[in-house]
Amino acid sequence: MSSEPTAPGPHTALRTGVVWELLRGALARRAAAAGVPALDVLDTGGGSGSLAVRVAALGHTVTVVDPSPDALFALERRAAEEGVAERVRGVQGDTGDLLEVAGRGAYDVVLCHGVLEYTEDPRAALTAVTGTLRPTGGTLSLLAAGVGGAVLSRALAGRFTEARQALADPDGRWGDADPVPHRFTADQLTALASTVGLDPLTVHGVRIFADLVPGALVDTEADALAALTRLEADAAAVPAFHAIAGQLHLLAERTVPRADS
């Protein structure tokens, strides 16, 4: 396996570090369970491949499905620059035709990051995503927008009416101009996963403090970024902080049905 590509910048790493560590652990566990050194991974809505290329650098084969031709072109270039082009391929599509363009039951691990909140029907989209996992068992990494983070951010910006609207709205939207169609609580995500035949494993809060701390503080205070990164990691697993997280990360499994079930 080749070495990992160049690490992301400090502020990007702060926002994505928790997810990457969770995903890297999930990949290792799935490879061990399958008894193989490398996995077939699907990245739905993977864009230009910022995550897919890092997964490929671990030795896995990654298929990225994205509706944007420009993003897929950038993916191809990025994969070539990082020396993993032979393990990364891009396919144009979305959750609506996912099973047709990616294949049913073909993947050990599926990433669905920043996708579910933009779909017209989250349950139908997640059903399609689940269908791409191997029927013999697979892992889903799901990252979606959190209701609490939106409420908190609107309130801290002085937009109290919008904060109340997001708190009361079934989809967690703060108004008609809100660009995000759906936001979720941890309970809603786990329930949704269960309804499509997945077994939820863990939920972590993401971007709990990262979007609230002034950038100037992180840039000017010695060791502030490292300390904040550790705080994010420690708080991510604490259920109380799920309620204010900007995003929620769910790990779930498609398990093999028991013979006596």
Side-chain angles (χ1 to χ4, degrees):
M1 296 186 185
S2 59
S3 59
E4 288 190 36
T6 304
H11 293 288
T12 301
L14 176 59
R15 291 176 170 84
T16 62
V18 169
V19 173
W20 173 244
E21 291 305 317
L22 291 169
L23 177 58
R24 188 162 60 174
L27 289 165
R29 290 190 296 274
R30 175 52 55 188
V36 296
L39 303 167
D40 290 315
V41 179
L42 175 64
D43 188 357
T44 63
S48 62
S50 58
L51 190 57
V53 167
R54 298 185 76 184
V55 172
L58 298 176
H60 307 296
T61 300
V62 186
T63 297
V64 176
V65 175
D66 197 273
S68 168
D70 291 339
L72 294 176
F73 178 77
L75 164 71
E76 183 178 349
R77 185 176 61 237
R78 179 180 295 203
E81 290 173 350
E82 297 294 347
V84 295
E86 73 281 3
R87 292 197 295 275
V88 177
R89 73 179 180 113
V91 181
Q92 190 171 359
D94 57 28
T95 55
D97 59 0
L98 185 63
L99 294 173
E100 288 74 27
V101 301
R104 182 183 296 273
Y107 300 93
D108 303 292
V109 176
V110 177
L111 319 182
C112 184
H113 292 185
V115 173
L116 205 62
E117 56 263 56
Y118 295 103
T119 60
E120 183 176 345
D121 184 342
R123 179 174 178 175
L126 194 57
T127 298
V129 169
T130 301
T132 65
L133 286 168
R134 297 196 194 283
T136 53
T139 300
L140 171 70
S141 173
L142 176 64
L143 183 68
V147 172
V151 173
L152 185 60
S153 66
R154 303 317 284 179
L156 293 178
R159 299 182 178 274
F160 306 121
T161 299
E162 292 179 351
R164 290 183 65 239
Q165 174 66 20
L167 185 63
D169 187 80
D171 290 314
R173 305 186 76 234
W174 47 257
D176 293 338
D178 191 338
V180 180
H182 307 280
R183 293 188 180 88
F184 305 89
T185 65
D187 287 344
Q188 287 171 336
L189 271 190
T190 55
L192 187 59
S194 296
T195 63
V196 300
L198 294 168
D199 291 331
L201 300 178
T202 61
V203 177
H204 287 78
V206 179
R207 293 167 64 172
I208 298 169
F209 309 107
D211 295 340
L212 305 178
V213 176
L217 176 63
V218 177
D219 292 335
T220 57
E221 293 292 329
D223 300 323
L225 180 61
L228 181 55
T229 300
R230 290 193 296 270
L231 177 61
E232 284 276 345
D234 290 345
V238 180
F241 287 105
H242 297 169
I244 62 169
Q247 295 174 304
L248 295 167
H249 181 260
L250 171 71
L251 281 175
E253 287 186 342
R254 183 178 189 178
T255 55
V256 182
R258 292 176 51 183
D260 59 350
S261 61

